Amino acid sequence: AIYGLCGILLKILREQKPDYIAAAFDRPEKTFREEEYKEYKIQRPPTAPELVKQIISAHDVFSWFGVKTLEVPKFEADDVIATLTERFRKEPNLKVVILSGDLDNLQLVEGEKVVVQFFKTGITETVIYDEAAVEKKYGIKPRQLPDYKGFVGDVSDNIPGVAGIGPKTASTLLKEFGTVEEIFENLAIIGNKSAVKKLEGKKEEALFSKKLATMRRD
């Protein structure tokens, strides 16, 4: 893991030459999401002890490369990334690139100003997601991805969503109405009566799943 991290950093610094760079870490404590929903990520196996040691050592690696590391108790690295993005997205002449193997970060994409560089194959091949690429993949705007997960859930994070509402239905409804809240306010006029039946009485579940999937920007 340490060897791979060094390879990634060398590649970034040599090829992309960023003006500013920071690294976000998860913390070992329970997050606020786990406190609110004990089943959050519960299906994931515990991190192997030999990998934990390397994650701790990774802090030293970043310091050797002159890279600032950031972490906050009770919050995930994604929340730190979201907060940095919110802080710097309006800076003139600055483009924010989020390097990650986690597609959850796509909700932060904004035009070509904030993009996600996603690991496709190891560290050698990456793909850039700008707003157009996110819309092509999901059929909705990046900012709507937490709403999307409010309906379809997320197996990797054990976010439940609403049973029976799949990606196609979620995307179609969000394109028309915009948010989870707006969809539930307009159930009476939605033409897809099969979807309406599945959504009836499920507003609380959808909103809670959306909350779990939403990165904190504060």
Side-chain angles (χ1 to χ4, degrees):
I2 294 293
Y3 179 81
L5 175 60
C6 290
I8 291 166
L9 285 168
L10 288 167
K11 188 176 175 66
I12 293 167
L13 295 170
R14 286 170 178 166
E15 296 178 9
Q16 297 184 350
K17 299 180 172 64
D19 294 305
Y20 311 98
I21 183 168
F25 277 88
D26 286 329
R27 294 276 308 168
E29 301 93 346
K30 277 190 174 182
T31 66
F32 76 93
R33 293 180 181 87
E34 289 170 295
E35 288 178 350
E36 289 186 26
Y37 181 58
K38 67 179 186 295
E39 286 83 15
Y40 182 70
K41 294 187 177 181
I42 200 169
Q43 83 287 7
R44 295 192 184 185
T47 307
E50 58 269 29
L51 184 57
V52 171
K53 291 177 185 175
Q54 294 188 69
I55 291 169
I56 294 167
S57 297
H59 290 75
D60 294 328
V61 174
F62 281 116
S63 71
W64 299 335
F65 277 85
V67 176
K68 175 79 173 176
T69 58
L70 298 160
E71 53 192 83
V72 183
K74 293 196 175 184
F75 292 90
E76 297 180 59
D78 284 349
D79 299 307
V80 176
I81 292 168
T83 301
L84 289 173
T85 300
E86 185 65 21
R87 168 65 182 81
F88 294 109
R89 68 187 179 86
K90 291 180 180 176
E91 289 285 328
N93 306 314
L94 191 68
K95 179 174 183 175
V96 178
V97 181
I98 301 164
L99 180 70
S100 177
D102 186 351
L103 288 173
D104 288 347
N105 289 285
L106 294 182
Q107 65 183 262
L108 303 173
V109 170
E110 188 177 320
E112 294 183 359
K113 176 77 175 177
V114 180
V115 301
V116 170
Q117 185 176 352
F118 181 71
F119 291 112
K120 195 174 179 183
T121 311
I123 65 165
T124 56
E125 192 179 348
T126 59
V127 57
I128 297 287
Y129 282 97
D130 58 11
E131 194 155 331
V134 174
E135 286 191 52
K136 185 178 179 183
K137 182 176 178 67
Y138 293 98
I140 53 175
K141 300 280 187 186
R143 65 176 178 272
Q144 293 176 296
L145 285 171
D147 295 273
Y148 176 84
K149 289 192 177 182
F151 290 127
V152 304
D154 186 336
V155 175
S156 67
D157 289 342
N158 206 34
I159 296 174
V162 176
I165 302 295
K168 189 176 179 182
T169 301
S171 294
T172 302
L173 291 172
L174 287 168
K175 267 194 280 191
E176 186 173 357
F177 296 101
T179 65
V180 167
E181 291 85 346
E182 287 291 323
I183 288 167
F184 278 98
E185 282 179 22
N186 289 282
L187 284 183
I189 62 168
I190 291 174
N192 186 341
K193 297 308 175 189
S194 171
V196 170
K197 192 173 181 182
K198 291 168 184 171
L199 289 171
E200 284 174 345
K202 300 294 183 182
K203 183 178 180 179
E204 194 175 315
E205 288 92 327
L207 287 173
F208 185 62
S209 292
K210 175 182 175 177
K211 182 183 178 184
L212 288 173
T214 302
M215 292 180 185
R216 290 279 294 271
R217 298 176 182 235
D218 60 347

mmCIF file of all heavy atoms in Angstrom, residues 2 11 21 28 73 76 85 91 97 121 129 132 143 155 160 162 210 212:
data_model
loop_
_atom_site.group_PDB
_atom_site.id
_atom_site.type_symbol
_atom_site.label_atom_id
_atom_site.label_comp_id
_atom_site.label_asym_id
_atom_site.label_seq_id
_atom_site.Cartn_x
_atom_site.Cartn_y
_atom_site.Cartn_z
ATOM 1 N N ILE A 2 1.921 1.268 0.820
ATOM 2 C CA ILE A 2 2.828 2.415 0.880
ATOM 3 C C ILE A 2 3.542 2.613 -0.465
ATOM 4 O O ILE A 2 3.680 3.732 -0.957
ATOM 5 C CB ILE A 2 3.864 2.237 2.014
ATOM 6 C CG1 ILE A 2 3.174 2.252 3.378
ATOM 7 C CG2 ILE A 2 4.946 3.309 1.945
ATOM 8 C CD1 ILE A 2 2.567 3.575 3.762
ATOM 9 N N LYS A 11 3.588 10.208 -9.603
ATOM 10 C CA LYS A 11 2.910 10.392 -10.891
ATOM 11 C C LYS A 11 2.175 11.741 -10.940
ATOM 12 O O LYS A 11 2.267 12.477 -11.917
ATOM 13 C CB LYS A 11 1.926 9.238 -11.103
ATOM 14 C CG LYS A 11 1.269 9.189 -12.484
ATOM 15 C CD LYS A 11 0.402 7.942 -12.607
ATOM 16 C CE LYS A 11 -0.378 7.903 -13.901
ATOM 17 N NZ LYS A 11 0.468 7.775 -15.097
ATOM 18 N N ILE A 21 -2.018 20.868 -2.792
ATOM 19 C CA ILE A 21 -2.440 19.471 -2.662
ATOM 20 C C ILE A 21 -2.629 19.138 -1.174
ATOM 21 O O ILE A 21 -1.878 19.600 -0.323
ATOM 22 C CB ILE A 21 -1.400 18.515 -3.329
ATOM 23 C CG1 ILE A 21 -1.854 17.056 -3.279
ATOM 24 C CG2 ILE A 21 -0.028 18.678 -2.738
ATOM 25 C CD1 ILE A 21 -1.016 16.135 -4.171
ATOM 26 N N PRO A 28 -10.444 6.460 13.083
ATOM 27 C CA PRO A 28 -10.903 5.162 13.618
ATOM 28 C C PRO A 28 -12.191 5.245 14.443
ATOM 29 O O PRO A 28 -12.875 4.242 14.613
ATOM 30 C CB PRO A 28 -9.726 4.717 14.504
ATOM 31 C CG PRO A 28 -9.002 5.975 14.864
ATOM 32 C CD PRO A 28 -9.172 6.892 13.689
ATOM 33 N N PRO A 73 -12.391 13.920 13.758
ATOM 34 C CA PRO A 73 -13.135 12.873 14.452
ATOM 35 C C PRO A 73 -14.630 12.943 14.140
ATOM 36 O O PRO A 73 -15.203 14.028 14.027
ATOM 37 C CB PRO A 73 -12.874 13.182 15.942
ATOM 38 C CG PRO A 73 -11.571 13.906 15.941
ATOM 39 C CD PRO A 73 -11.553 14.714 14.674
ATOM 40 N N GLU A 76 -16.060 11.401 7.944
ATOM 41 C CA GLU A 76 -15.300 10.606 6.983
ATOM 42 C C GLU A 76 -14.399 11.502 6.147
ATOM 43 O O GLU A 76 -14.607 12.712 6.067
ATOM 44 C CB GLU A 76 -16.271 9.835 6.077
ATOM 45 C CG GLU A 76 -17.128 8.834 6.835
ATOM 46 C CD GLU A 76 -18.094 8.078 5.936
ATOM 47 O OE1 GLU A 76 -17.624 7.411 5.001
ATOM 48 O OE2 GLU A 76 -19.304 8.163 6.157
ATOM 49 N N THR A 85 -13.612 21.332 -0.903
ATOM 50 C CA THR A 85 -14.194 21.706 -2.197
ATOM 51 C C THR A 85 -15.080 22.936 -2.060
ATOM 52 O O THR A 85 -14.993 23.874 -2.862
ATOM 53 C CB THR A 85 -15.016 20.532 -2.771
ATOM 54 O OG1 THR A 85 -14.148 19.398 -2.940
ATOM 55 C CG2 THR A 85 -15.625 20.889 -4.118
ATOM 56 N N GLU A 91 -12.865 30.078 -5.801
ATOM 57 C CA GLU A 91 -11.614 30.820 -5.989
ATOM 58 C C GLU A 91 -11.355 31.017 -7.483
ATOM 59 O O GLU A 91 -11.420 30.070 -8.260
ATOM 60 C CB GLU A 91 -10.440 30.048 -5.372
ATOM 61 C CG GLU A 91 -10.428 30.010 -3.865
ATOM 62 C CD GLU A 91 -10.003 31.329 -3.243
ATOM 63 O OE1 GLU A 91 -9.177 32.042 -3.844
ATOM 64 O OE2 GLU A 91 -10.508 31.651 -2.154
ATOM 65 N N VAL A 97 -9.420 19.310 -8.327
ATOM 66 C CA VAL A 97 -9.393 17.930 -8.812
ATOM 67 C C VAL A 97 -9.406 16.998 -7.600
ATOM 68 O O VAL A 97 -8.521 17.069 -6.752
ATOM 69 C CB VAL A 97 -8.144 17.650 -9.672
ATOM 70 C CG1 VAL A 97 -8.160 16.207 -10.178
ATOM 71 C CG2 VAL A 97 -8.064 18.618 -10.844
ATOM 72 N N THR A 121 -7.958 1.648 -13.356
ATOM 73 C CA THR A 121 -7.171 0.426 -13.284
ATOM 74 C C THR A 121 -5.898 0.708 -12.496
ATOM 75 O O THR A 121 -5.004 1.393 -12.999
ATOM 76 C CB THR A 121 -6.786 -0.081 -14.698
ATOM 77 O OG1 THR A 121 -7.949 -0.103 -15.520
ATOM 78 C CG2 THR A 121 -6.182 -1.463 -14.639
ATOM 79 N N TYR A 129 -14.132 12.775 -14.423
ATOM 80 C CA TYR A 129 -15.566 13.045 -14.451
ATOM 81 C C TYR A 129 -15.810 14.534 -14.231
ATOM 82 O O TYR A 129 -15.584 15.044 -13.132
ATOM 83 C CB TYR A 129 -16.290 12.263 -13.339
ATOM 84 C CG TYR A 129 -16.524 10.805 -13.635
ATOM 85 C CD1 TYR A 129 -15.652 9.835 -13.154
ATOM 86 C CD2 TYR A 129 -17.628 10.390 -14.381
ATOM 87 C CE1 TYR A 129 -15.862 8.482 -13.409
ATOM 88 C CE2 TYR A 129 -17.850 9.048 -14.646
ATOM 89 C CZ TYR A 129 -16.963 8.103 -14.159
ATOM 90 O OH TYR A 129 -17.184 6.770 -14.420
ATOM 91 N N ALA A 132 -20.590 16.978 -17.332
ATOM 92 C CA ALA A 132 -21.164 16.303 -18.505
ATOM 93 C C ALA A 132 -20.999 14.782 -18.394
ATOM 94 O O ALA A 132 -21.902 14.022 -18.749
ATOM 95 C CB ALA A 132 -20.503 16.816 -19.781
ATOM 96 N N ARG A 143 -25.237 17.219 -8.264
ATOM 97 C CA ARG A 143 -25.824 17.594 -6.969
ATOM 98 C C ARG A 143 -27.058 16.743 -6.617
ATOM 99 O O ARG A 143 -27.488 16.728 -5.463
ATOM 100 C CB ARG A 143 -26.203 19.074 -6.967
ATOM 101 C CG ARG A 143 -27.297 19.444 -7.946
ATOM 102 C CD ARG A 143 -27.700 20.909 -7.841
ATOM 103 N NE ARG A 143 -28.724 21.254 -8.817
ATOM 104 C CZ ARG A 143 -28.491 21.661 -10.047
ATOM 105 N NH1 ARG A 143 -27.233 21.809 -10.471
ATOM 106 N NH2 ARG A 143 -29.476 21.938 -10.878
ATOM 107 N N VAL A 155 -25.379 -0.219 -1.897
ATOM 108 C CA VAL A 155 -25.014 -1.506 -1.304
ATOM 109 C C VAL A 155 -23.675 -1.413 -0.578
ATOM 110 O O VAL A 155 -23.504 -1.971 0.511
ATOM 111 C CB VAL A 155 -24.958 -2.608 -2.401
ATOM 112 C CG1 VAL A 155 -24.446 -3.920 -1.806
ATOM 113 C CG2 VAL A 155 -26.337 -2.818 -3.013
ATOM 114 N N PRO A 160 -30.127 1.978 2.698
ATOM 115 C CA PRO A 160 -31.264 1.177 2.231
ATOM 116 C C PRO A 160 -32.013 1.709 1.018
ATOM 117 O O PRO A 160 -32.421 0.929 0.150
ATOM 118 C CB PRO A 160 -32.193 1.134 3.451
ATOM 119 C CG PRO A 160 -31.814 2.314 4.281
ATOM 120 C CD PRO A 160 -30.353 2.537 4.047
ATOM 121 N N VAL A 162 -35.244 3.065 -1.121
ATOM 122 C CA VAL A 162 -36.648 2.655 -1.121
ATOM 123 C C VAL A 162 -36.781 1.377 -1.945
ATOM 124 O O VAL A 162 -36.405 1.354 -3.130
ATOM 125 C CB VAL A 162 -37.562 3.761 -1.702
ATOM 126 C CG1 VAL A 162 -39.009 3.280 -1.776
ATOM 127 C CG2 VAL A 162 -37.465 5.032 -0.853
ATOM 128 N N LYS A 210 -31.037 9.700 1.848
ATOM 129 C CA LYS A 210 -30.420 10.872 1.214
ATOM 130 C C LYS A 210 -29.450 11.549 2.177
ATOM 131 O O LYS A 210 -28.335 11.926 1.801
ATOM 132 C CB LYS A 210 -31.501 11.863 0.765
ATOM 133 C CG LYS A 210 -30.934 13.168 0.211
ATOM 134 C CD LYS A 210 -32.040 14.146 -0.165
ATOM 135 C CE LYS A 210 -31.456 15.493 -0.600
ATOM 136 N NZ LYS A 210 -32.509 16.440 -1.050
ATOM 137 N N LEU A 212 -27.806 10.208 4.705
ATOM 138 C CA LEU A 212 -26.621 9.371 4.875
ATOM 139 C C LEU A 212 -25.672 9.516 3.691
ATOM 140 O O LEU A 212 -24.451 9.468 3.855
ATOM 141 C CB LEU A 212 -27.027 7.894 5.030
ATOM 142 C CG LEU A 212 -27.686 7.477 6.337
ATOM 143 C CD1 LEU A 212 -28.176 6.034 6.239
ATOM 144 C CD2 LEU A 212 -26.743 7.635 7.526
#
